[in-house]
Every structure is written in C-alpha cells, then in structure tokens.
Amino acid sequence: MRIRDVEAVALHRDLDERFANAQKWIDSREYCLVRIETDDGTVGWGECWGPVAGNREIVEEYVAPWLRGRDPRTVERIHDDLIFKLRSSYHSHVPAGVVSGVDMALWDCYGKATGEPISRLLGGARRDRVRAYATGHFFPDVDTFDAFEERVVREARGNVEAGFDALKVKIGVGRHFPWSTETDVEIMRSIRDAVGDDVRLMADANHAYDTADASRVGRQLEELDVHFFEEPIGPQHVEDYALLNRELDVPIAGGECWAFVEEFDRVFDEGAVGYAQPDVTSAGGITSMRRIASLADAANVQCLPHVFGSAVALAASLQVLATIPGDPMLEFDRTPNPIRDELAVDPIVNEGTDVPVPDGPGLGIEIDSDVLERFRTN
C-alpha cells in the first residue's frame, strides 16, 4: 500500500450574518482539507487549521512530492519525519496545521485499510459517545448592549432546549464594543440566570485580557460557578497562565494555540492549565493529540480537545475523545456552518447531551462528493 496522490482541497462559504469573538469578526467559513489517495484507491481525509493560503501551497508543492510512494500505515513515523523536515526548512517554526491535516488523512487511510475506526487503532475506545458542550454565544453584529444580551441569552436557552446541559460563552467584548470587562461578567450572569444552576457554563476570552484584567474577571466568574475560564490571556504568556491557575478558584483552560508535545510539556510543567485543549487541526494531528492526552493524564490534567472545524475535524476529534482517560467533553460548535453540517453523508449530531462516536473505518464518516464540489474554491 503506497501513497499515490496528495491534494489540498480548498472550501469556502460566505455566511448570511457575521459574528465575532475577541480575536476577529467571522463572515465566512474556509477550510483547507488534505486528501490522500493510495495505489489501491483508498482515500483519507484530513483538515488543516487556518487559512487556505499557505497551507495549500505547503501541502501540494512541498509535502506531496515527499509523501508519494510512502506507506500510509507508517503514520507515526511519517508524522515525526515530517516535523523534522519542516523544521529544517522553516527554522523558526513548524507549520503545525499542515502536519495536522496530513497526519489526520494518514490515520483515515490506515483505518480504512484495516477496516477499523481510528479509536481502535489508538488502543481501544473507552466510550462510544461523548458528553458535549454547545459552543456559540459569539458577539452578534448589533449596536446596543440590550440587543446583544437578548441575542446571546436567547441562543443559550435554545441550546438547552436542544438537549445540551453545558454551554461555552464568548467574552472579551471590549475588543469590538465600547464596553468594559464588567460587561463580560454581566453577560455571563444573564445567561446563568436564564439557564439555571444545573447547566454547566464555561467562559472563553480568546486571549482578550492582560493578566490584571483576567484576574479581575476570573474572580467574578468564580461567583457564577463557571466550570473553566478559557484563554484569558495570550498563549505566549505561559508563566502568567500558571499564575492565574494558582490564584483563581475557576480552572484555567487553554491549548488551541499550542502545538506538539514539547509545548504542552512546558505547559504541564508550569502548572499552567486546569484543562488542556489541544486542537487536532493545529496541535499536530491525531498522533500529537494522542501523545498530548497521555502527557496530560500523567500530569493529572483533564484533556478537553478544542474543536471548531468541519465534519472532518469533528470526526477526528471524536475518535481521539473516545480514547481519552477521565471524563472528557466534546466542544460542539453551534454557530452557522453549512460546510460542517453538510459535508458528511451522515452528519454528526447531538443526541441529547451526548454525541455518538462514528464507528465506521478510519474517521468513521463518508465525505459527500456533491457537497464537496459545491463548496470547493480555487
């Protein structure tokens, strides 16, 4: 079994209405998928984090010639060799999104070649469904705080009605609106009042604050029984993450902006997070995710993978989540996303509080070729 073809597949869809987190306004969904085909016709799919530009060129012009002819079942060796090759070429960084997309597609090929889901190849599933929390409650494109509050509270109630008993809310509104950090706390308080004490609430600042403001907000989130406080500050400030994690009673979460075992090793050594959130599309793929989850378990830190991608990333995350020790949760994006919702022939949906792990070979999903072509872009 040898790799015959490697292709970067660009997908794009404009949204009907934009929304924001503390980092940016989002008016479209764009993905760079990786398609690997072997000489026996097996096709594996992966997904890169980030814009198509850059990922596509590295995959097709640099990685593809090197991958052709290799055995996709040697996925962990390829993963490590690819990191070494990219490091020697780019020096100051390794394009982690590229490694992630390639690695994911290789695991999909490997699973399909053996007829097994990736979770079984990783050593066996601990669960066949995962408790999910609804991610959403982004910043709506409105002019007044009353309209903002009404929208996010209505969305929170709708997610509870849809069966979710855990919600993650975006804060850090001062990045886009003329409001203070007190507004962030007021938003969280309004949602807590609306959904009640039995719903688990999490807050995600997308590194909106400096350390002082993060500490101030965190103290108030404690009073609202917030389950974790995600990315309060920039991911480069690992020591300050550790400081906040020690000072606050609400656990600090982070990890979507860190890649590979080496970065997470430092995070765990510093005691920087109460919950680790690597993303399968940006941490180095399934190979790195498994290693990071094992490292987290050794450090007595629960791994809760970050997920904000297409159906490919969602399926890959579920395959890993099936194997993670402890009590992990799936981040289930509820924002408008036709690509995520339609790309798989059998869409991944919640069943009450849980989401089933796909049990087919590889990632466990089949890509709808008609939908792929509809969203495909140059």
Side-chain angles (χ1 to χ4, degrees):
M1 188 179 193
R2 300 292 171 184
I3 295 170
R4 177 170 63 196
D5 188 44
V6 181
E7 179 186 9
V9 179
L11 305 179
H12 181 93
R13 169 62 149 80
D14 290 331
L15 298 178
D16 296 331
E17 182 179 2
R18 70 174 188 164
F19 57 88
N21 58 23
Q23 295 175 3
K24 61 184 177 180
W25 285 96
I26 299 168
D27 59 11
S28 66
R29 289 302 180 96
E30 178 177 291
Y31 301 105
C32 182
L33 303 186
V34 176
R35 181 185 184 275
I36 292 179
E37 183 174 357
T38 66
D39 53 8
D40 67 355
T42 301
V43 174
W45 291 94
E47 182 177 326
C48 306
W49 179 267
V52 169
N55 282 321
R56 173 175 50 199
E57 288 75 15
I58 295 173
V59 168
E60 292 200 336
E61 298 175 23
Y62 189 76
V63 177
W66 173 79
L67 266 181
R68 292 189 187 103
R70 299 191 67 153
D71 184 342
R73 295 167 296 186
T74 62
V75 54
E76 295 204 45
R77 177 179 175 182
I78 293 174
H79 172 276
D80 294 343
D81 288 349
L82 180 56
I83 291 174
F84 183 86
K85 177 179 175 62
L86 290 168
R87 171 67 72 189
S88 65
S89 297
Y90 288 88
H91 282 192
S92 60
H93 74 289
V94 175
V98 169
V99 176
S100 301
V102 170
D103 183 82
M104 216 180 301
L106 291 170
W107 276 105
D108 193 24
C109 284
Y110 186 12
K112 288 171 178 173
T114 61
E116 300 283 4
I118 292 169
S119 61
R120 190 164 299 163
L121 300 180
L122 294 176
R126 299 171 184 267
R127 57 192 66 83
D128 61 7
R129 56 184 53 240
V130 184
R131 181 183 180 185
Y133 64 88
T135 280
H137 322 97
F138 281 69
F139 310 160
D141 191 7
V142 295
D143 296 327
T144 68
F145 176 72
D146 286 346
F148 185 112
E149 184 180 42
E150 190 276 331
R151 287 278 293 272
V152 295
V153 167
R154 173 158 39 95
E155 182 181 355
R157 287 193 177 117
N159 281 325
V160 172
E161 291 170 2
F164 295 94
D165 64 358
L167 313 175
K168 190 169 79 173
V169 180
K170 296 293 185 176
I171 58 175
V173 296
R175 291 282 177 167
H176 301 295
F177 297 90
W179 303 331
S180 71
T181 57
E182 294 300 318
T183 307
D184 291 321
V185 178
E186 187 174 347
I187 291 165
M188 294 298 299
R189 185 174 292 111
S190 296
I191 291 177
R192 170 59 78 201
D193 290 343
V195 301
D197 294 337
D198 293 335
V199 173
R200 182 177 288 183
L201 283 187
M202 289 78 77
D204 183 2
N206 291 105
H207 42 88
Y209 306 126
D210 58 29
T211 305
D213 277 346
S215 180
R216 188 175 302 110
V217 171
R219 294 291 184 202
Q220 297 177 83
L221 294 180
E222 294 170 358
E223 300 171 6
L224 298 172
D225 191 27
V226 168
H227 189 67
F228 63 66
F229 185 12
E230 181 176 340
E231 283 201 319
I233 57 178
Q236 69 273 26
H237 301 297
V238 175
E239 296 88 348
D240 289 334
Y241 267 81
L243 175 67
L244 292 169
N245 201 39
R246 289 193 301 270
E247 282 189 347
L248 298 175
D249 288 337
V250 56
I252 299 300
E256 67 185 85
C257 294
W258 296 319
F260 307 121
V261 169
E262 294 77 12
E263 289 194 48
F264 280 90
D265 188 43
R266 180 192 173 200
V267 168
F268 297 139
D269 188 56
E270 295 277 355
V273 295
Y275 293 103
Q277 299 174 302
D279 189 302
V280 73
T281 68
S282 62
I286 289 170
T287 298
S288 283
M289 282 280 285
R290 175 172 70 169
R291 295 173 183 178
I292 292 164
S294 296
L295 198 64
D297 187 49
N300 204 28
V301 173
Q302 181 64 62
C303 186
L304 301 176
H306 174 267
V307 188
F308 196 68
S310 78
V312 174
L314 183 55
S317 300
L318 280 164
Q319 291 296 331
V320 178
L321 274 158
T323 71
I324 289 177
D327 187 23
M329 292 190 294
L330 168 70
E331 179 171 14
F332 199 80
D333 175 24
R334 295 274 290 171
T335 56
N337 189 341
I339 298 176
R340 177 202 62 222
D341 295 342
E342 300 175 33
L343 188 59
V345 172
D346 295 312
I348 297 171
V349 297
N350 69 299
E351 297 179 355
T353 60
D354 300 335
V355 174
V357 179
D359 59 4
L363 292 173
I365 61 170
E366 179 185 351
I367 299 299
D368 188 318
S369 58
D370 292 335
V371 172
L372 189 78
E373 291 306 314
R374 177 152 50 92
F375 293 124
R376 192 164 185 158
T377 184
N378 293 328

